[in-house]
Structure formats: C-alpha cells, structure tokens
Amino acid sequence: MAGPPRLTPQHPDPLPASSSPGGRATILDVAAAAGVSRQTVTRAMNGMSGISAATKQRVLAEAERLDYRPSRFGRGLVTGGDHQLGLVVNDLRNPYTPQLASAVFRLAAEQGWNVMLADVDLASDADRMVQALGAQTDVVIGYLGSRRERWNELLGTVPMVELDPYAEPPTAAVWIDPADAIEVLADHLVATGVRHPVVLDNSSPEHTSVRGVLMMDALQRRGYLPELVHAEHGTAECGAEETVRILARKRRLDAILAFNDVMALGVLQACRRAGVDVPGDVRVVGVDGLPLGSLVAPTLTTLAVDLDAVAREALDLALGMLSGALPRQGAAVQRTVRHSLLLRESA
Amino acid sequence: MAGPPRLTPQHPDPLPASSSPGGRATILDVAAAAGVSRQTVTRAMNGMSGISAATKQRVLAEAERLDYRPSRFGRGLVTGGDHQLGLVVNDLRNPYTPQLASAVFRLAAEQGWNVMLADVDLASDADRMVQALGAQTDVVIGYLGSRRERWNELLGTVPMVELDPYAEPPTAAVWIDPADAIEVLADHLVATGVRHPVVLDNSSPEHTSVRGVLMMDALQRRGYLPELVHAEHGTAECGAEETVRILARKRRLDAILAFNDVMALGVLQACRRAGVDVPGDVRVVGVDGLPLGSLVAPTLTTLAVDLDAVAREALDLALGMLSGALPRQGAAVQRTVRHSLLLRESA
DNA sequence: CTGAAAGCGCTTACAG
DNA sequence: CTGAAAGCGCTTACAG
C-alpha cells in the first residue's frame, strides 16, 4: 500500500536558485524560510483571510527577518496598478511653480491619480529625469521649453501635454495667453498718465520673450516709446539689480512692466531702497498673480493667470488622450487660458 | 525530400485570446498585427539593433495604430526599474514646502532617484494617497504629524523617515530643533531692550506647539511675562488678523515672535497698515529662514533652518535603511538639524 | 486553512 | 535579421 518512502520532504515551492545573494528577498525566499507556499505569503503580507494566526505570524516574522518587501512591479503587473501622472517643472523654488504644481496635484488626486514630479531646472541630467519620468507614468504634463522635441522623443509612447509653449507645439498643449490682459494693462497705463514705461523682460538681447514682444507692441501702438531691458534670470535678485541700473540711467521713467511677479518683487525692493515711491513716482506691474504679491507693500498689480484652470485643461487633455476620446495631435488638443489684469496698489 | 506541405502559416506567437477588448494593447497584440514575434516588437519599440528598417517601420505603425504603450510593470519586472522615493508634504502653497521639496528632489536626483510627491494637506483621501505612494515607492520621507502611526501601518513594509516629529517617533526621523536658536534669540531680545514680547503660535489653546513652549520658556527664564496667542492657521492672513487684534488690545508690546515666516509676513503687513514701525515700535521674528523674508520691508529676522541639511539627513537615513546599513528602528536612525538665528532688519 | 497552476507584460539570453 | 524559450515577482482563481 505504502509507496516508496520519501527521503526528502516535499517542498511546497521550488527553492529559489540562490536566496538572493545581493538582490532583494522575493516572495519565494520568504515562502521557503517559513516553509509555506508563496500564496500563503501573499495572504500574510496583504492581510487576507484564509490563513491561521500561527502561520501568519511565522510568515511575517520571516518576512521581517529577510527584510522582504513585495516588488511593486510584480504586484502592479497583476493588479493593474494605479494611474500615474508625470509633471515636469522648472524650479520649485520659484513661487510660481508650487502654485501650479499644487493645482495639478489637487485635481489629479480628485481623479485618483498620483503625481510624479521632475524639476529639470536644477538638474544636470534633465534628459535622464524626463526619461525616467516617462518610464514610471502614463502621461506627462509640463514645461518643456526649447527641449520639447528631444523630450517628446525620449518619452516615446507616453502622451505629453505641453504647458505654455513658446511656439506652435507638435503635441497637445495649454497656451497661457497674456495678449488680452496686456491690452487692458496698456489702456490702464494711459489712463493713469504714464509717459515713459520700461519693459523688463526675462530674455536675451537676441531673443525677446513672447510676452515682452506683446508688451512692447501694445505700448507702441498707444504712442509710447518704451525701452526694453533684458534680464538674464527671472528672479527677484535679478529684477532688483536691473532696476538699480535703470534708475541710475533714466531720468524720466514712470512705469516698469516686469516679466513676472518674482522679478517685480525685486523691482519693488530696489525702488524702496532708492527712495522711489511706488506707485507715486514709478508704477510697477508683474505677471502671474501670485498670492505673494499681496504680502508686500505696496501690493503688486499683476497680470494674473488662473492656475487651477491651467491644471484643469491640462488634465482634461491628458486624460482625454489616454482614454482615446481625444487625438494625440492637432488643433483638438490645444487649449488656451488667458491672463487678466489684477489691480492692486503698485499700478 | 520535401515534408508535407504546411497548409497554415506558422504563427510566430500565439494569438492573444482576444485583442484586448477594453484593456490596453499588449506587446502580443502588436506582434500579431504586424505578423512578427514579440521580441521583434521589443526591438522596434526600444530602438534596439538587429531589426530591418522595413520591419521596424511596420511594427511602429501597428503600435501607433493600436495605441500601444509598454507596461511599466512588465518592463520594470525584468529590468529592475528605477529607485523611487516618496515625499509626503502638507501644503505646496506654503512657501516652506517647495523649499524643502526642492532640496529633496535635488539630492535624490543626484543619486539617481525619482521622487513622487503626495500633498496630504488639501486631500480628502489622504490615507489612500499615502497608501498609493507606498505602493509605488521604495521608501517614504515626510511630514506625518499625528497620523504617523496609521500611515506607518498603511505603508506596510515600505521604510519611512519622519521629518520634524512632534514627539519621540517609532521610526526613523530627522528632528528639526529650534531650542538653541531660541536661546540666542531670547538673549538678542534682552540685549535690544525688548520688554513686552508676544508669542504668536500656530496651535490651539489646548495644545501649544513645541516651539511655542520653547519660546515661552526661554522668555520666562529671562524674567519676561510673555503673552501666548494661538492662531488657528499658519498663514499670512491669519498672522495679520491676530496682529490686528493684539495691537488693538495691548498698549505695551514691543516684539512678536511668530510660529513661522509666513505668519510673520502677515504680522509685518498688519503693522505696516496700523502705522506701527518695525523694528522701531515692535520687533518681529519668524521661523524657517525662507528667502521670501528678504523680499519684504523691513526684511525678516528669522530662525533659519538649513533645508539642504534636512534633506541630506533624511535621504541618508532612507538609503541607509534600504541598503541594510542602518536598522529600521531606534536611536541609530534619528538625526537632528538645528535652527540658527538669522538677523535681518525686523528685529 | 493551504497549495498547485496559470498568467499578468515585458526583456534577456540564445539559437538559427 | 528574426524567433522560441525562459523567467522577472507577484496575485487570482481553483482544488483540496
């Protein structure tokens, strides 16, 4: 009746070739160590039913001893995993960036999406970061600047939504358009008696920014002869330095239109230190509408943009492309969000 | 010589059961559609060598037609995937947060780590976010506050490094300790002739913050009878509102120590509007050392913390635990970073 | 309560 | 240049 005696006990799972010499412990290592099958390990690790308290405890102890952590890839492969969104930004320390990122995070979370962030401004290996982002996410949103073609290549099949493109984009994009607000602002400057405005652009002499061009044009069409100043960085420090130079050079000057709010904050600071009254002597205007602008004195007049709207449009495009409801090219995947003049004290 | 004729062409890969009705196309769908094997699809998708231009083009065309994107799980399972770090923060719109996040991102990127961010402050489903974060990352760093026990459970086997714990933590942690700087500050207040300081805490009457307690204690030991004011939120608005109340109530008052820089900015604004000179009438001090504090007038004196150091210690702990060089419990996985007094104009 | 089987979607050898 | 085989680490049925 009895068959030949089994000399070796039947092992529930084949022993792993080597118990991970160098690599992480796997579910089979734990199973072997605890003398159970891998699905019993799964039950213990995930708090599932159908396992005795004693077995569970023994498995968990072995798992801890082996420093076992389930692979997110193995698990994701079978469970499907979560939806993941990549966000490319330029410098988290610029107050604009977290304002945008926060809006994206909030909306994404509402839809059950996780967000991975890549700050490519301070990165020496931005290409690697973008590629890694693409490898870990289902869709990428962000500021791509002049590197968008290269990054679009790097991202391969991962759909991309560009924010604030500097020129007609090859992919989906959300334009952030200051043109209308600039017209309103120019009218406001005329109405308040400005005579000699300066545009403080964040750009190089070879390449004026789009918003710099729009500002100059709107002023010229109203009969102004505005000066255009190029500042290398869009920071408060740079804004302050350029303002010191401008004030030293120009006798007549009664308005400074800065490229963004952060630079305008530097302008305000430089004026304050030079004893120049804002808005009495010089009116100052920023762009972005950061809450920060209402913390300084005088509070900052600015061309505000609704970053919640930017985030909403971007996510809408991203999810639309993913679901197949939207194409991945062409006019159907372009949206526009416009600035609006936010009058505070500085102009 | 010739064998029996093959009536049906040999298919390189078995046809997928159904060409993904509802799900995403897989590599087998593309292989079938292009009439090649899956490894040829891999070659085409990943720009590998060993594939003819014609085949590659045909495969890529089919991939595009089927909207095929390789699964990051399938790929990660075999390639090992990247190292991924989770960061839990409280509110990206608070300027402190991006400053910290930026430091973590920069250091993580230097070591080839990607970062996933979860902002749990504005989230209704913070628990789900933390769990999702744990599922996608190898280690989690962050501000956990009173929810740290629950989240530690949720994270399961994912190691955790708590930042700025409010009390002795069960896990690895980086303390951010203002005690020394507060002593230096208190001496400074004495030296500059302050008589009637107020501590503006971000807390409830039932539970004063650690730093509030330290401030009160340091002042009392120097013979002061400081008043403690509880502000509900750590925002500029709240700081301004409380300051208005304090100014209306107290005739004698010559220093306000705010819970953080952002609140202190609100204090400065309220003083400015009330015609109270800072630092002439009232000295104002914040905590954090945000760059922002040097953009206002007067510039903000503050207890600064080196967030690069915080990020460095946190990453060091995280990577140490992951490599097994560090235990996952106990004193060995606790670090401390101290504030220091940064004297600017407001005190 | 526990385990044997199958399979998630990919890539990396290896063979031709 | 192309394909057959094996396997990454896990979970989900299913069988006992």
Side-chain angles (χ1 to χ4, degrees), chain B residues 58-122:
Chain B
R58 184 158 39 94
V59 170
L60 290 179
E62 285 303 325
E64 166 132 28
R65 194 176 64 76
L66 295 173
D67 194 24
Y68 168 65
R69 274 163 286 131
S71 151
R72 62 174 183 271
F73 299 111
R75 172 177 289 164
L77 196 52
V78 55
T79 63
D82 286 321
H83 292 308
Q84 213 134 307
L85 180 140
L87 179 61
V88 176
V89 299
N90 269 317
D91 182 4
L92 264 184
R93 292 167 305 180
N94 179 329
Y96 175 84
T97 303
Q99 211 69 26
L100 170 72
S102 177
V104 170
F105 275 55
R106 198 153 7 93
L107 262 74
E110 278 174 14
Q111 320 218 16
W113 282 67
N114 306 315
V115 181
M116 241 181 83
L117 197 61
D119 188 333
V120 294
D121 181 62
L122 25 73

Side-chain angles (χ1 to χ4, degrees), chain A residues 76-132:
Chain A
L77 197 52
V78 55
T79 63
D82 286 322
H83 292 307
Q84 215 136 305
L85 180 140
L87 180 61
V88 176
V89 299
N90 269 317
D91 182 3
L92 264 184
R93 292 167 305 182
N94 179 330
Y96 175 84
T97 303
Q99 211 69 25
L100 170 72
S102 177
V104 171
F105 275 55
R106 198 152 9 94
L107 262 71
E110 278 174 15
Q111 320 218 17
W113 283 67
N114 305 314
V115 180
M116 242 181 83
L117 199 59
D119 188 333
V120 293
D121 181 62
L122 24 77
S124 54
D125 53 350
D127 285 2
R128 189 200 62 80
M129 291 179 66
V130 170
Q131 189 151 35

Side-chain angles (χ1 to χ4, degrees), chain B residues 12 37 39-40 43 50 52 55 77:
Chain B
S37 70
Q39 41 276 63
T40 294
R43 292 188 186 101
S52 74
T55 306
L77 196 52

